[in-house]
Amino acid sequence: ARLGSRGYRYDVLALDKTRGNTGARSNHGSHLRVHFKHCQEIAHHTSRMPVNKALKFLDDVLAFKAVVPFVRYTGGCGQKAKAKQFKVGGSKGRWPVKAVGVYRDLLTNAIANGKSKGLDPELLYISHAQCNRAPPGRRRTYRAHGRIGKYASQPAHIELILTEKVEGVEKSASDEDMEGASGAKITKKMAAKKRFVTVGGGTN
């Protein structure tokens, strides 16, 4: 375990998805004191993104140059002109600065984990981003007439998996002449024709 720049505890999580996969690294933050709904929207938007592009997006959000589009937890969320570029319903978005900062620290830590294992940061992308609701922090607030109300926080568990993108291989000329799964496509009609054998000595 190690501490990020904001003092949160980040654990390297040995997930089943990364066991035996030398081209992937995982990172996990538990009981993070940031809103779960904000983290879920950030993780949803940055999933499947190259890490360099994700870091630039998070930096732009911190500088209020970009907005995090909200697609699930949209209750009471205002419309933003910057959200139109993502084509989300209602153009709803927010600037969750604290959650973005913690998510960025977690992503930076995951990239460092990949570097320590010999992975190329230029080829890494976020193959898995998940956010779960953590047990709420329970406090109390004092109301009128001697009553007490709950004052609960909604922390989050976040886990990331970075995978090295595999470059495609060009198809060779010999593969084009082959038939089957790796070569030319065979239709049902063509396969049926090949099953029939010509019988008889007719000239037709």
Side-chain angles (χ1 to χ4, degrees):
R2 62 184 69 180
L3 292 178
S5 60
R6 297 174 183 269
Y8 294 105
R9 183 171 177 266
Y10 298 144
D11 299 325
V12 176
L13 185 67
L15 294 174
D16 291 338
K17 294 183 180 181
T18 58
R19 286 177 183 169
N21 188 353
T22 57
R25 283 302 291 165
S26 61
N27 205 10
H28 176 78
S30 58
H31 300 281
L32 304 177
R33 284 296 301 271
V34 285
H35 289 314
F36 155 73
K37 294 182 180 181
H38 293 173
C39 294
Q40 195 278 335
E41 298 291 355
I42 297 169
H44 176 267
H45 183 67
T46 57
S47 181
R48 316 299 298 181
M49 225 185 238
V51 293
N52 292 334
K53 183 179 178 181
L55 286 175
K56 185 181 183 304
F57 168 74
L58 297 174
D59 289 336
D60 288 344
V61 173
L62 292 175
F64 293 91
K65 295 179 181 178
V67 69
V68 177
F70 275 51
V71 296
R72 182 173 183 178
Y73 299 106
T74 57
C77 185
Q79 295 179 337
K80 305 294 186 298
K82 291 182 182 297
K84 292 181 180 179
Q85 59 181 315
F86 303 116
K87 298 180 180 179
V88 296
S91 299
K92 296 190 174 184
R94 280 175 174 165
W95 293 276
V97 174
K98 183 179 179 181
V100 167
V102 172
Y103 189 89
R104 189 187 185 284
D105 288 347
L106 194 64
L107 180 60
T108 305
N109 188 264
I111 295 172
N113 290 342
K115 284 183 180 179
S116 66
K117 295 297 180 180
L119 302 182
D120 187 2
E122 298 295 329
L123 300 178
L124 289 177
Y125 73 100
I126 304 173
S127 60
H128 173 79
Q130 180 176 323
C131 181
N132 295 330
R133 193 188 296 269
R138 303 184 185 278
R139 292 184 292 168
R140 57 172 57 181
T141 183
Y142 299 94
R143 314 299 297 272
H145 310 294
R147 292 175 299 163
I148 293 178
K150 69 173 184 178
Y151 212 71
S153 63
Q154 301 296 329
H157 304 312
I158 305 174
E159 62 183 38
L160 297 173
I161 296 179
L162 306 184
T163 306
E164 204 170 35
K165 187 168 290 187
V166 179
E167 297 181 358
V169 181
E170 294 184 2
K171 184 186 293 186
S172 63
S174 59
D175 290 340
E176 296 178 356
D177 299 334
M178 294 173 60
E179 297 178 351
S182 61
K185 184 178 179 182
I186 300 176
T187 63
K188 290 183 179 180
K189 190 173 183 180
M190 292 169 60
K193 283 183 178 180
K194 292 185 178 183
R195 285 198 298 268
F196 289 103
V197 180
T198 307
V199 181
T203 57
N204 292 333

